[in-house]
Amino acid sequence: EPIAETQWSTVGPNDKLTPFEDVTSYNNFYELGTGKGDPKANAEQLVTEPWTITVDGACGKPGKLSYDDFVKPHALEERIYRLRCVEAWSMVIPWVGIPLGEALKRFEPTAQAKYVRFETIHDPKMLPAQRSGVLDWPYVEGLRMDEAMHPLALLAVGLYGEVLPNQNGAPLRLVVPWKYGFKSIKSIVRISFVEDMPQTTWAAYGGGSEYGFYANVNPTVDHPRWSQASERRLDGGSIFSMFERRDTLMFNGYDDVAPLYAGMDLKKWF
Amino acid sequence: MVLTQRAFWEARGRSPALKPVVFALALVPLAELALRLFGLGLWGALGVNPIESIVRFSGDWALRMLLVALAVTPLRLLTGLAWPMKLRRMLGLFAFFYAALHLAAYVGLDQGLDWARIWADVVKRLYITVGMAAFAILLALALTSPKAAVRRLGGRRWQALHRLVYPAAVLAVVHYGLMVKADLTQPVIHGVVLALLLAARPALKSWRGRRRSGAEGRVRTAGRGL
């Protein structure tokens, strides 16, 4: 029985899949440690069963759902996406998941629902880095309602046809391929429909020294510490094959989303 | 008694083995890096992002070597031993060596010798500006490290120039702190070690001075400048 009922790829011949080993051993998941290898080393500390997702806010059918109740009604899809990290590296990952928009519609968001707010599990007993103040826990991310409803936005439950490893944000994480990786929040326990733009973790960090709420991949807007004009593709190749950087594409190459931002100055709303 | 002790430690300072042993130890990180390049390192290969690994590894060791070099004078003041001073220049040059490796990895591997992009980084990104300033100082100190340079500059001017190692070390720690995204643990640890090493100099000097004036002639240190 194939895990994914539909499969689609958004990448071209120049985009080699990042090996499973690399996707699962080079992670930014600060709750499990700030080093790239820490999330894998500490992965077993995150217990994902049982898992409850609370859906609340401006919607007709709020509730607390088990992982099964949340995911089961949907067909699983495999989607091969580029993932662009704010640190100027990128990967190509075959995710397995459910379309975010379809999942959200089940809760019947009302007209007051202008944004969706996502929250990562907060459990300092379980998650070592939450016992220190590296970031303001819990990790919070958000999307504008129309962004969340875009067919490219995915809630991932797996990768490479296997259940999502803990270090990649098990059991349920967001994947928004046209935004920097930190927007794709991991290990989601709460989804709220809200009227005002939510205060998100990195946008609030350091008095706004990082990116803002939108954080769309944009080669013309630098991060304070990294130029975003180019990136290094991590595809399991040798150091010599990684020497060549590639140009970063607007919206990470996902031009379909451009109409969402029509009329917005993306140098201001970065 | 005093003379015997002194002669003993002076002899240790001239020990034929000391310098080669420390030299070899200081090359261990380079050997580890070379082994990792071929996937043979004790702590594995270079990982998913090998270029980043090389940049980080060489930067870490540049800073560690700098701190080790800066520990020489406090060690001498604390123990009265002369022989660590004979290692100071070599350790400082190793700090420069790893810093040069770090810069070469950034310029060559990370940025692919794209000079326009590198220059944009230097002027726009504070952590790179600060790192370059630290490197410029280390370069000046490395170039003036031979004995001939000491003679040409004159002891006082040479010493004034080489006191720039303190701001260089501060800049190196600041460079590290500005570079990390949120977890400042490592930069803070290195910063605390540096602060202790810098604070130890005046503290130990006055302690030595008190001891000397308290027991004139009984304790003689083998100091030859700081």
Side-chain angles (χ1 to χ4, degrees):
Chain A
E1 186 192 11
I3 187 162
E5 287 163 37
T6 64
Q7 282 161 325
W8 46 301
S9 171
T10 64
V11 300
N14 244 348
D15 295 307
K16 213 177 102 199
L17 284 186
T18 301
F20 176 85
E21 174 65 21
D22 290 10
V23 173
T24 57
S25 57
Y26 190 80
N27 304 101
N28 279 324
F29 190 1
Y30 280 11
E31 286 82 344
L32 290 172
T34 53
K36 289 286 187 296
D38 294 345
K40 184 181 184 180
N42 297 325
E44 79 289 350
Q45 298 185 34
L46 171 63
V47 178
T48 60
E49 264 173 300
W51 194 268
T52 307
I53 299 134
T54 303
V55 182
D56 58 10
C59 63
K61 289 186 171 168
K64 281 182 195 289
L65 289 83
S66 70
Y67 170 82
D68 264 10
D69 291 341
F70 192 98
V71 178
K72 272 251 173 80
H74 301 274
L76 294 183
E77 301 182 10
E78 180 171 79
R79 304 218 185 158
I80 303 178
Y81 283 159
R82 291 179 294 273
L83 174 93
R84 172 62 156 81
C85 178
V86 74
E87 297 162 352
W89 54 263
S90 58
M91 292 183 174
V92 178
I93 303 173
W95 300 105
V96 176
I98 61 178
L100 173 66
E102 287 178 24
L104 294 182
K105 274 183 208 150
R106 282 166 52 205
F107 303 96
E108 298 174 3
T110 67
Q112 273 76 52
K114 301 281 196 288
Y115 295 88
V116 195
R117 179 186 182 279
F118 301 88
E119 207 176 283
T120 295
I121 184 170
H122 184 216
D123 188 343
K125 281 200 292 290
M126 204 190 270
L127 299 162
Q130 284 183 341
R131 298 193 280 270
S132 73
V134 181
L135 290 176
D136 270 338
W137 312 112
Y139 195 91
V140 172
E141 259 310 334
L143 294 172
R144 218 169 54 192
M145 206 60 197
D146 57 342
E147 295 178 318
M149 289 298 165
H150 194 278
L152 279 169
L154 188 76
L155 278 173
V157 296
L159 55 83
Y160 270 97
E162 292 184 28
V163 66
L164 200 60
N166 286 356
Q167 61 267 35
N168 294 86
L172 186 74
R173 68 166 288 170
L174 192 60
V175 179
V176 196
W178 70 93
K179 292 176 180 285
Y180 292 114
F182 71 87
K183 292 291 292 182
S184 292
I185 184 170
K186 299 183 175 81
S187 303
I188 298 167
V189 292
R190 188 174 169 203
I191 300 174
S192 311
F193 297 98
V194 294
E195 188 157 16
D196 298 319
M197 183 184 281
Q199 179 81 283
T200 55
T201 299
W202 280 109
Y205 180 81
S209 62
E210 302 286 322
Y211 276 116
F213 177 80
Y214 284 95
N216 291 313
V217 175
N218 185 343
T220 67
V221 176
D222 284 354
H223 181 274
R225 283 190 303 285
W226 298 280
S227 159
Q228 300 294 9
S230 65
E231 66 198 60
R232 171 162 297 115
R233 176 62 53 80
L234 304 180
D235 59 5
S238 73
I239 186 166
F240 306 105
S241 73
M242 287 187 191
F243 190 68
E244 203 65 43
R245 298 174 78 101
R246 56 176 77 203
D247 289 341
T248 291
L249 304 172
M250 186 66 206
F251 300 122
N252 203 20
Y254 296 97
D255 296 329
D256 289 356
V257 301
L260 295 174
Y261 310 102
M264 277 175 74
D265 179 359
L266 293 178
K267 293 208 158 144
K268 187 173 167 225
W269 300 103
F270 55 78
Chain B
M1 181 65 189
V2 168
L3 271 177
T4 328
Q5 258 186 26
R6 203 171 157 187
F8 172 75
W9 290 114
E10 293 278 275
R12 281 289 290 269
R14 276 195 293 273
S15 150
L18 184 66
K19 266 194 176 176
V21 165
V22 174
F23 188 90
L25 281 175
L27 281 174
V28 167
L30 184 68
E32 162 72 10
L33 187 62
L35 286 172
R36 286 176 65 175
L37 201 53
F38 299 101
L40 299 168
L42 280 176
W43 292 275
L46 287 168
V48 177
N49 194 345
I51 291 174
E52 178 192 54
S53 299
I54 294 176
V55 173
R56 292 285 177 91
F57 186 91
S58 51
D60 285 349
W61 279 103
L63 184 53
R64 284 174 201 150
M65 285 290 171
L66 197 51
L67 294 178
V68 170
L70 285 169
V72 166
T73 298
L75 182 67
R76 181 187 68 79
L77 289 168
L78 191 65
T79 61
L81 303 180
W83 59 264
M85 297 302 281
K86 297 184 186 293
L87 300 170
R88 194 172 60 167
R89 174 165 57 184
M90 190 173 79
L91 291 168
L93 284 169
F94 267 111
F96 169 73
F97 170 73
Y98 283 105
L101 201 62
H102 179 57
L103 178 63
Y106 160 72
V107 167
L109 296 176
D110 189 54
Q111 298 296 318
L113 301 178
D114 185 331
W115 299 107
R117 195 162 59 198
I118 292 164
W119 181 246
D121 259 0
V122 173
V123 294
K124 278 165 90 173
R125 277 167 254 297
L126 186 59
Y127 82 102
I128 295 190
T129 319
V130 168
M132 290 290 186
F135 182 78
I137 294 176
L138 293 184
L139 176 65
L141 304 193
L143 290 174
T144 55
S145 70
K147 285 205 174 86
V150 187
R151 277 197 300 275
R152 200 172 316 152
L153 282 167
R156 270 180 181 282
R157 269 201 297 171
W158 184 90
Q159 200 174 43
L161 176 68
H162 278 247
R163 286 211 172 100
L164 288 177
V165 71
Y166 309 134
V170 171
L171 289 171
V173 170
V174 170
H175 165 69
Y176 193 8
L178 289 171
M179 186 272 296
V180 304
K181 216 155 63 168
D183 186 355
L184 283 167
T185 314
Q186 286 300 322
V188 166
I189 290 172
H190 287 78
V192 167
V193 170
L194 175 63
L196 287 174
L197 290 174
L198 295 184
R201 283 153 211 272
L204 288 169
K205 265 185 235 173
S206 71
W207 172 71
R208 284 253 142 209
R210 277 201 307 276
R211 251 177 59 151
R212 208 166 346 190
S213 56
E216 194 75 49
R218 195 161 57 81
V219 180
R220 293 177 62 191
T221 57
R224 294 182 314 184
L226 300 169

